[in-house]
Amino acid sequence: MKRLRKRIFVVFLIVWAAFLLYGCAPQEQEKNTEESSASEAGTEGVREETGPRIGISIYRYDDTFMKLYRSELKQYLEETYHAEVIMRNAGGDQEEQNRQIGQFISDGCDGIIVNPVEVTAAPGLSDACSQAGIPLVFINREPNEEEQKRWQDNHMAVSCVGTDSRQAGTYQGEIIREMPDKGDINGDGVVSYAMLMGEDGNEDSRYRTEYSIKALEEGGMKTDKLFSGNGDWNKDNGKKLAQEVLTTYGNRIEVIFCNNDSMANGALEAVEEAGRVPGKDIYLVGVDALQDTVKYIKEGKITGTVLNDHEGQSQTAADTLIKMIDGEDVDTRYQVDYIKVTAISTFHTLKGED
């Protein structure tokens, strides 16, 4: 009897334990499910962090320097700020660029970067972006000082990033002046030159032209301008102008100043086809430090160029825009310096070099 009672008691304990386990298991399972749901609820509908949407309009995609610039700008914005970059080609048409900026505004871009077709359009673009509450940065082509002062006076979220083309022109003149003969190859006491300019009326073109010759003359050299023409920054146009120069003036031309490297590279082709020996009986100098031009400098064919720092400019533009988007105060203008590049330069320090 005692054994029976003992067995019944054991069975009772087993059943009771089973009951407890059964009764508790769903509660624990429910608790685990709730924790999982809570964890999922914490991430449900939350996307991976994305950066701002940036609209960029470039005056022309076929400009060699701006190809480097826009590529670096896009990459830097995406890698550094995780930005969604919308880039458009204005194709040299200001009305088209105006439409692009209007579309950026309609699309709700957080910031806009413009390489203007015409700097005279800057006031209208600045007003449009300011009224929409969207920060704006102008690149490569700077609005005038009066316009920049207007941004400051009216507390507009507008800035510009560029260079001082007077510095570029000065460096070009110094490059020629630093040659053993100071550019006077024929020894007649006068530097006879041709000037291949960019676009008519463009400030960069005007300053590079003016200050390159000013640097020569302030260094004690007399100059004689035999030819000047606008090549619109284009290699083929540079070649055509150089052909005209060489056909008209022949060996009288000692230096060909070019407002940019694309035209200098085209002029080099014309010089070689004319039977001249570049670097010996004629000098060529440009601006931008394109890779092809730097290669020609190493080969002694082009006398020098001036590094137009596309990396420094594009990164400064991106940083400035992001600061404004974040509500920070910025300067109305940022300048990135040029660097002289000649055969004695340390080429491996040049940005964009292999």
Side-chain angles (χ1 to χ4, degrees):
M1 188 68 175
K2 290 181 178 179
R3 289 181 180 177
L4 180 59
R5 288 177 179 175
K6 186 176 182 179
R7 286 178 182 175
I8 292 172
F9 181 75
V10 171
V11 171
F12 178 80
L13 288 176
I14 293 172
V15 172
W16 179 251
F19 176 78
L20 290 174
L21 290 172
Y22 181 79
C24 292
Q27 294 177 16
E28 185 66 26
Q29 182 178 0
E30 184 178 353
K31 181 180 179 183
N32 289 339
T33 302
E34 288 176 356
E35 287 177 352
S36 176
S37 297
S39 176
E40 291 176 2
T43 58
E44 184 178 358
V46 178
R47 301 178 183 177
E48 183 180 349
E49 183 180 355
T50 57
R53 172 182 283 190
I54 307 299
I56 302 174
S57 177
I58 302 298
Y59 93 107
R60 247 177 38 202
Y61 270 13
D62 60 356
D63 183 298
T64 305
F65 175 72
M66 288 311 299
K67 286 180 183 178
L68 298 173
Y69 196 126
R70 61 186 168 89
S71 176
E72 174 64 26
L73 179 59
K74 183 175 186 293
Q75 181 178 338
Y76 184 75
L77 279 167
E78 290 175 341
E79 293 182 355
T80 305
Y81 297 108
H82 309 289
E84 176 189 352
V85 178
I86 305 168
M87 191 169 291
R88 297 287 182 263
N89 176 18
D93 184 340
Q94 186 58 59
E95 290 187 5
E96 172 60 25
Q97 187 167 67
N98 294 345
R99 285 191 290 271
Q100 292 172 0
I101 304 310
Q103 190 63 52
F104 291 156
I105 293 172
S106 298
D107 290 344
C109 285
D110 298 296
I112 296 174
I113 295 176
V114 178
N115 168 213
V117 175
E118 300 172 9
V119 291
T120 54
L125 297 177
S126 299
D127 288 341
C129 290
S130 183
Q131 290 167 10
I134 300 175
L136 170 66
V137 174
F138 289 98
I139 60 173
N140 189 243
R141 297 175 168 197
E142 297 180 46
N144 60 34
E145 293 181 3
E146 181 181 353
E147 174 63 7
Q148 293 178 33
K149 186 176 185 301
R150 187 175 74 91
W151 306 337
Q152 188 173 28
D153 291 345
N154 291 280
H155 306 288
M156 300 168 70
V158 184
S159 183
C160 63
V161 176
T163 55
D164 185 349
S165 288
R166 290 167 292 197
Q167 183 186 54
T170 298
Y171 284 171
Q172 282 190 307
E174 289 178 355
I175 287 171
I176 298 302
R177 201 177 71 202
E178 289 164 3
M179 297 300 291
D181 53 21
K182 299 184 178 182
D184 180 19
I185 296 175
N186 61 20
D188 66 354
V190 179
V191 178
S192 299
Y193 71 93
M195 183 68 69
L196 307 191
M197 301 179 293
E199 294 175 338
D200 185 25
N202 179 271
E203 186 175 89
D204 289 338
S205 180
R206 177 166 62 88
Y207 281 144
R208 291 175 188 180
T209 296
E210 177 184 349
Y211 279 80
S212 58
I213 304 308
K214 186 176 181 180
L216 265 181
E217 293 176 343
E218 288 183 349
M221 299 302 297
K222 294 181 180 180
T223 64
D224 181 17
K225 180 177 72 175
L226 299 182
F227 176 91
S228 66
N230 295 101
D232 296 331
W233 314 114
N234 182 271
K235 178 181 178 181
D236 291 339
N237 291 343
K239 182 175 181 177
K240 290 176 183 177
L241 288 175
Q243 287 173 331
E244 181 181 347
V245 167
L246 295 167
T247 299
T248 305
Y249 298 99
N251 292 336
R252 290 178 60 193
I253 293 290
E254 296 170 293
V255 180
I256 300 180
F257 286 95
C258 305
N259 281 175
N260 77 338
D261 281 351
S262 289
M263 293 189 294
N265 294 345
L268 175 61
E269 292 182 4
V271 166
E272 292 183 320
E273 289 173 7
R276 300 286 293 273
V277 183
K280 293 187 177 180
D281 64 17
I282 188 170
Y283 298 142
L284 295 95
V285 65
V287 174
D288 284 339
L290 300 181
Q291 288 191 1
D292 283 347
T293 310
V294 171
K295 178 173 71 74
Y296 296 141
I297 293 172
K298 291 178 180 178
E299 295 171 354
K301 295 181 177 180
I302 287 183
T303 305
T305 184
V306 182
L307 173 64
N308 196 359
D309 185 1
H310 68 276
E311 287 187 15
Q313 291 177 60
S314 58
Q315 292 176 14
T316 300
D319 292 342
T320 301
L321 185 66
I322 297 301
K323 285 180 180 178
M324 288 194 289
I325 290 173
D326 290 342
E328 297 181 35
D329 292 332
V330 301
D331 294 337
T332 55
R333 181 180 185 273
Y334 292 90
Q335 178 178 318
V336 179
D337 286 337
Y338 286 100
I339 301 172
K340 276 191 285 189
V341 181
T342 65
I344 60 174
S345 297
T346 306
F347 286 105
H348 71 269
T349 64
L350 295 180
K351 296 176 181 177
E353 271 296 279
D354 295 328

